Amino acid sequence: QILHVAAIPALAEELAFRGIVFGSLRKYGDGFAMVMSSVLFAVLHGNFIQIPFAFCMGIALAYTVIRTGSIVPAILIHFINNAMSCFISYFSSEISSVGEGLLFKGLLYGTWAIIGVFGFLLLQFCFKQKPLDCFQKYEGALSRINSTFSLPPII
């Protein structure tokens, strides 16, 4: 399940959406490319409930590609996201009581949040920035959209 639900889709979707679509649209500006590739990413998932999350994830992944200059971190983030869904699905079906299920999901989401904070800080330190500098507007990538929406915490 990890291979079919997490690894292969993460690799294929990132190469398609952040590699081909986003890369092709960057000539019109990074902001435009982020939004359009994220819209396509969300719509092509084919699940109306999943569209808002997929759109936000697409924006975050495109932003990661812009900031790192590589598609590899986006593939890893996508893989971790899909793998977490696999773990939730598998272990939720194995847990018999509601209390155990809530505890498990709380621990899993907590771990997910810690991994996210760790990854965020790792990106900041790899680019030799102070962690608080990431809350400043990043001029290079998002110059064509309103500055309010270009703050990393908003994205």
Side-chain angles (χ1 to χ4, degrees):
Q1 187 176 13
I2 293 292
L3 180 65
H4 293 279
V5 175
I8 293 171
L11 182 62
E13 290 175 4
E14 289 312 306
L15 289 175
F17 290 103
R18 255 57 66 193
I20 296 169
V21 175
F22 176 72
S24 299
L25 294 174
R26 284 188 87 175
K27 62 185 171 191
Y28 301 110
D30 288 340
F32 177 78
M34 281 175 61
V35 171
M36 293 311 294
S37 65
S38 298
V39 166
L40 287 172
F41 179 68
V43 170
L44 290 177
H45 270 80
N47 180 349
F48 288 112
I49 295 171
Q50 193 179 5
I51 285 176
F53 176 76
F55 175 77
C56 292
M57 189 68 167
I59 292 286
L61 292 169
Y63 186 75
T64 300
V65 170
I66 292 169
R67 289 296 299 262
T68 63
S70 172
I71 198 169
V72 174
I75 293 169
L76 293 173
I77 292 168
H78 196 148
F79 170 76
I80 290 169
N81 179 67
N82 291 356
M84 293 297 285
S85 296
C86 290
F87 290 134
I88 290 171
S89 175
Y90 175 76
F91 287 111
S92 292
S93 65
E94 297 294 319
I95 295 173
S96 59
S97 74
V98 174
E100 289 176 353
L102 290 175
L103 177 64
F104 170 74
K105 286 182 182 178
L107 289 172
L108 197 56
Y109 286 127
T111 303
W112 200 351
I114 290 169
I115 290 170
V117 169
F118 176 74
F120 176 76
L121 292 174
L122 183 64
L123 279 176
Q124 297 311 311
F125 289 120
C126 285
F127 288 101
K128 305 207 184 329
Q129 294 179 350
K130 297 175 191 167
L132 293 178
D133 286 347
C134 61
F135 291 96
Q136 303 300 319
K137 181 181 176 196
Y138 183 66
E139 297 289 342
L142 303 169
S143 60
R144 293 189 182 197
I145 35 182
N146 188 319
S147 63
T148 304
F149 295 107
S150 68
L151 294 169
I154 300 296
I155 292 171

